[in-house]
Amino acid sequence: VKKRVRKEGIAENRDLLPEEEGILNLLEGSPLFIDTIIQETKLLPARINAILLDMEIKGLIGQGPGKIFYKKN
């Protein structure tokens, strides 16, 4: 069972997985290439792809050209 983290003010108070919270923290400063996200999180690329897709669907992040991800406000 995965623990969900409730984070006020992010994603309209939705429950966030710890991995999602970590990625949002990484994207706080500036957009990042997917390779950088993989290196910083130390998660498998397939897992990162799944998390990023889910976060895009939730409206938390966006994707620019070249697999650059950014945090949506």
Side-chain angles (χ1 to χ4, degrees):
V1 176
K2 291 194 177 204
K3 181 181 175 188
R4 291 197 172 260
V5 178
R6 179 158 302 271
K7 188 79 172 179
E8 297 296 322
I10 293 180
E12 299 168 351
N13 298 326
R14 295 181 193 154
D15 287 334
L16 296 176
L17 294 172
E19 295 94 340
E20 292 173 333
E21 184 177 8
I23 291 170
L24 284 177
N25 288 337
L26 282 175
L27 296 175
E28 195 68 44
S30 63
L32 296 174
F33 284 102
I34 191 169
D35 294 340
T36 305
I37 297 170
I38 292 167
Q39 288 173 346
E40 292 294 323
T41 61
K42 301 191 182 358
L43 295 173
L44 294 173
R47 179 71 181 133
I48 288 293
N49 278 319
I51 293 168
L52 292 173
L53 177 60
D54 193 45
M55 291 175 74
E56 280 187 88
I57 292 169
K58 291 177 181 178
L60 297 170
I61 62 171
Q63 181 179 169
K67 297 288 254 183
I68 295 176
F69 292 87
Y70 58 92
K71 183 177 175 180
K72 287 189 174 180
N73 293 333

